[in-house]
Structure formats: structure tokens, C-alpha cells
Amino acid sequence: MPGGSRALITTALAGLFVACSAAPPPPDVPVPPPPTTTTASTEPTTTTTPAPAPAPAWRVGASPLPRRPDGFGEVLPTPPELVRRSLPTVDRLPPPEDGRYAATAAPVPADVLARSTWQPSCPVAAADLRYLTMPFWGFDGRPHTGEMIVDARVADGVTKVFGSLYAARFPIEEMRVTSRPELDAPPTGDGNNTTAFVCRPAVGQTRWSAHAYGLAIDLNPFCNPYVRGNLVLPELASSYVDRRDVRPGMVFPGDGTVRAFAGIGWSWGGNWRSPLDLQHFTATGN
């Protein structure tokens, strides 16, 4: 083939190859995406700190009340946070592991006696008292373990009563031994501790209270206040004087709580006319 012809054919073939390589692919052939490059981030990792738990709706004992001439705190309207009281229980003793009711009764340990209100001038000897631990249901719907000091003669009966309340899931906010400093603390009017032995006189009197012998129990005192004239104790529990508004933790004539205490021979201060002591159950009638 002549050299000129070969050059012409070579040029034509080169042009054909270029045209083929530039032609778009058929419509049914997908076009691969362009390659991407992944670059490791050099920014520091940020850890999100969980939000703190919300503050409690009410801090019991945080706000002293102005005093009346008789030494009690001013009786004030119930704060909105406490009108339907349902505060959580602080565990001071381990809650029952299996949720069952199992009470204990023993001589009062020395450390418990030391943080109680007992002193040698009290009308009952320390050896005649018993230290109880008893499960109870809180307003938070959980089981807790409470503590109480009572006269040795009534220990078995008291544990039986609280066994009945536990079976009925009657809510109790707090059950702990009252300490000596509490007797001299400024009134705050918002306590709700269920307790028995407290070495003190009867309210407004000079004679010993039945509590000073370990023969009386105050049950949910905020939900079941003491009323005498214009005095309400605790002082912020005014809304609970109206018993028509039924709320958890309240005690009523003839209910299961009153019957349980009556079953061990105790009477209820809610049957008194003056004072009306809705929280008070007693083995002595006083």
C-alpha cells in the first residue's frame, strides 16, 4: 500500500477511536459516581452530660414559721405543693428485698437510744422500750423500711397493726425515730413523720404525753392533723382539716386503720371532740 494511503487510513482510525471514547454511554448503562475521599475528623469528641434530677417539689423543714404567742407556728394556708401531699420517701434503712412484710423487735440499740429523745428523766426506762423495724408503702408506690421505738408490752401488737396497713398498701411518707434537736427546732409546720416514742409533755400541758411512755403513735400527722380551736398541727396542714376531700394517707372513722388499732385495744384521737387528734392512736386513752 502506498505510504500516502497508509497515513490517510491511520489518521482516519485515530479520529474514529477519539470519537468513540467521547461518545456518551447508552441510556441503560448507569454512570458510576465519582470517587469520594473520607477524611478522619480531628475535632474532639463531645460528651453530653445528663441533665440533673429535678429538685424536689417541697423541702421539708426548710422554712421556719413565725411564732404565735403560745409558741406554736402561725397556722397558714396549705401550700399548693402539699394540698395533695405525695412526697417521695428517703430510705434510711434498706428497703425489703422481696417486698414482703417482715418486722423485727429488739432492745433499743445504744446508738439508736443516743439519737432518740430518751434521757434518764423520761418516765420509762430504756430497758422497757423496744426498737422496731417495719416495712411500709410510701406515697411513691414503693416499699420502704421504717423504724420506731415503743413500750415493750405493745411491740408485738404494733408490728401486727403495721402488717395490716402494709397488706392494705396504706401509704406512709416517713417512719423514723424522733431526735432530741427536733423538739427545740423552730416550727416549720410541714412534718409528716409517723412515730411513737417521744419524751415530751402532752400538747399544751405539763403532764407526760402517752408518747413519752412509747404507748402512742402519730400516723401521717400532716394528712391527719391535730385541731384545737384555731390551732392546727402541723401548722401548714389546714387543707387536711376538711375531711370531705379524701386523699391518700388519711384516716377515717371505722376504716381499716382504725379497726386494726382497735384490734389490739388502742383508741383513736379522731373520736375525741376537743382536741380532735386525727393522727393519734393510743394504748392509754390519752
Side-chain angles (χ1 to χ4, degrees):
M1 179 181 294
S5 298
R6 286 198 300 271
L8 182 61
I9 292 172
T10 301
T11 301
L13 288 173
L16 179 61
F17 289 144
V18 170
C20 290
S21 64
D28 58 343
V29 177
V31 179
T36 59
T37 302
T38 302
T39 303
S41 174
T42 58
E43 294 295 324
T45 302
T46 301
T47 302
T48 303
T49 303
W58 185 268
R59 289 181 56 209
V60 176
S63 302
L65 298 172
R67 288 187 185 268
R68 302 173 8 149
D70 58 10
F72 296 105
E74 290 287 347
V75 176
L76 301 176
T78 303
E81 299 92 332
L82 301 180
V83 169
R84 300 193 69 83
R85 185 161 180 150
S86 184
L87 301 182
T89 296
V90 175
D91 284 315
R92 293 177 171 83
L93 297 174
E97 293 184 359
D98 56 5
R100 297 181 182 181
Y101 182 83
T104 68
V108 184
D111 62 321
V112 175
L113 194 69
R115 62 180 169 85
S116 76
T117 59
W118 187 87
Q119 52 190 336
S121 61
C122 293
V124 61
D128 293 330
L129 296 171
R130 291 293 179 269
Y131 177 65
L132 311 180
T133 64
M134 301 179 289
F136 66 92
W137 288 98
F139 284 82
D140 51 16
R142 297 169 48 215
H144 303 274
T145 300
E147 60 173 5
M148 185 178 291
I149 297 175
V150 300
D151 187 288
R153 295 169 293 175
V154 301
D156 290 343
V158 168
T159 59
K160 179 181 178 181
V161 167
F162 281 90
S164 297
L165 299 187
Y166 189 80
R169 287 186 174 244
F170 180 85
I172 296 171
E173 181 178 321
E174 186 176 25
M175 187 192 298
R176 60 173 176 78
V177 171
T178 301
S179 66
R180 180 70 193 177
E182 292 179 76
L183 300 184
D184 302 320
T188 58
D190 55 357
N192 202 23
N193 180 34
T194 294
T195 192
F197 173 76
V198 184
C199 190
R200 63 167 176 79
V203 176
Q205 302 183 40
T206 57
R207 64 175 175 83
W208 289 113
S209 164
H211 289 283
Y213 298 88
L215 294 172
I217 291 172
D218 286 343
L219 179 64
N220 284 344
F222 195 91
C223 305
N224 303 290
Y226 171 103
V227 184
R228 188 186 71 216
N230 65 358
L231 176 63
V232 177
L233 298 175
E235 293 92 339
L236 296 182
S238 300
S239 73
Y240 279 91
V241 175
D242 182 1
R243 309 307 278 179
R244 295 169 297 179
D245 185 3
V246 179
R247 287 155 283 180
M250 297 171 71
V251 180
F252 295 95
D255 69 6
T257 302
V258 174
R259 294 197 305 271
F261 276 101
I264 63 169
W266 288 38
S267 58
W268 178 45
N271 290 326
W272 302 347
R273 298 190 65 178
S274 181
L276 181 66
D277 202 348
L278 297 164
Q279 63 197 254
H280 188 73
F281 291 91
T282 172
T284 69
N286 298 313

